[in-house]
Amino acid sequence: MNIIKVPSREEVNEDSQLIFDQIKKGMGKVPNLYATIGYSSNALKGLLGLDEQLSKSVFTAQEKEAINLVVSEANHCDYCLAAHTMIAGMKGISKEDTLNFRKGTVTDPKLNAVLELAKSISERKGDASPEKLDNFFAAGFDNSALMELVGLVILRTFTNYAFALTKIPVDFPLADTLD
């Protein structure tokens, strides 16, 4: 079996090296998963470009982290669960809330509609439950929000699948397991 390792800066092309420099400037390091995706500068540019565009989403920072967590849980991605649990904590989201986000059930009806639909999209490979879709629209979201949700699910699924294929070392504190 081919073992994929985290590349050093010198092992990727010049475009990826420049992106690594920007990531390191902003985050203080290049996370292992971004470095590994950097084997392809096109893939890394695409990932970061979509992330940048969706940063202007109709969803709040808390809703986006909730989506990241429920999708990563559905895809069993230890790397993204670790990273987004840490990010959620940095954004003031409680440990209890992060665990509930991962389960896909919260008491706030609007956020619950988002989480249930994101989870259904992930688990059903895009063919979400019609009931979950109806609940999303009933919570006040429109077609634009639906497409942004799909984008957020795709963004996280990209990193989830990259980790699943590479099993690179997780360089964030591991997330707690769910009961």
Side-chain angles (χ1 to χ4, degrees):
M1 184 173 125
N2 186 18
I3 304 296
I4 299 170
K5 66 179 188 67
V6 178
S8 68
R9 186 180 186 283
E10 294 72 33
E11 293 176 297
V12 298
N13 69 31
E14 189 174 324
D15 285 345
S16 285
Q17 289 177 9
L18 294 172
I19 297 168
F20 284 10
D21 294 343
Q22 293 291 22
I23 293 170
K24 188 172 183 178
K25 185 177 178 181
M27 298 179 72
K29 72 174 189 174
V30 178
N32 286 345
L33 193 58
Y34 282 0
T36 305
I37 293 168
Y39 276 118
S40 167
S41 58
N42 293 329
L44 187 56
K45 284 179 200 173
L47 173 73
L48 295 174
L50 181 58
D51 188 43
E52 180 182 343
Q53 288 302 307
L54 291 173
S55 70
K56 304 163 193 147
S57 169
V58 299
F59 297 103
T60 67
Q62 181 181 28
E63 289 168 337
K64 284 186 265 193
E65 283 311 315
I67 294 163
N68 289 331
L69 288 163
V70 76
V71 171
S72 296
E73 186 66 41
N75 288 324
H76 311 289
C77 182
D78 291 337
Y79 191 98
C80 294
L81 287 170
H84 287 282
T85 295
M86 186 185 83
I87 292 167
M90 292 168 55
K91 292 181 178 180
I93 300 170
S94 73
K95 181 178 176 180
E96 180 183 359
D97 283 343
T98 62
L99 293 172
N100 287 331
F101 295 162
R102 289 171 55 193
K103 293 173 187 172
T105 306
V106 295
T107 57
D108 177 80
K110 188 172 181 182
L111 180 54
N112 197 63
V114 172
L115 286 179
E116 285 186 346
L117 182 56
K119 183 177 181 180
S120 183
I121 291 168
S122 297
E123 291 177 343
R124 297 174 54 144
K125 309 296 183 229
D127 186 24
S129 157
E131 175 189 342
K132 305 298 183 201
L133 188 57
D134 287 344
N135 291 343
F136 179 80
F137 289 126
F141 293 103
D142 60 13
N143 290 335
S144 175
L146 176 63
M147 292 302 109
E148 288 182 10
L149 178 62
V150 170
L152 290 165
V153 170
I154 295 295
L155 182 65
R156 200 49 45 228
T157 301
F158 181 111
T159 57
N160 293 169
Y161 285 11
F163 177 73
L165 288 167
T166 63
K167 300 287 192 262
I168 48 104
V170 178
D171 51 346
F172 295 97
L174 291 177
D176 292 339
T177 56
L178 292 182
D179 300 331

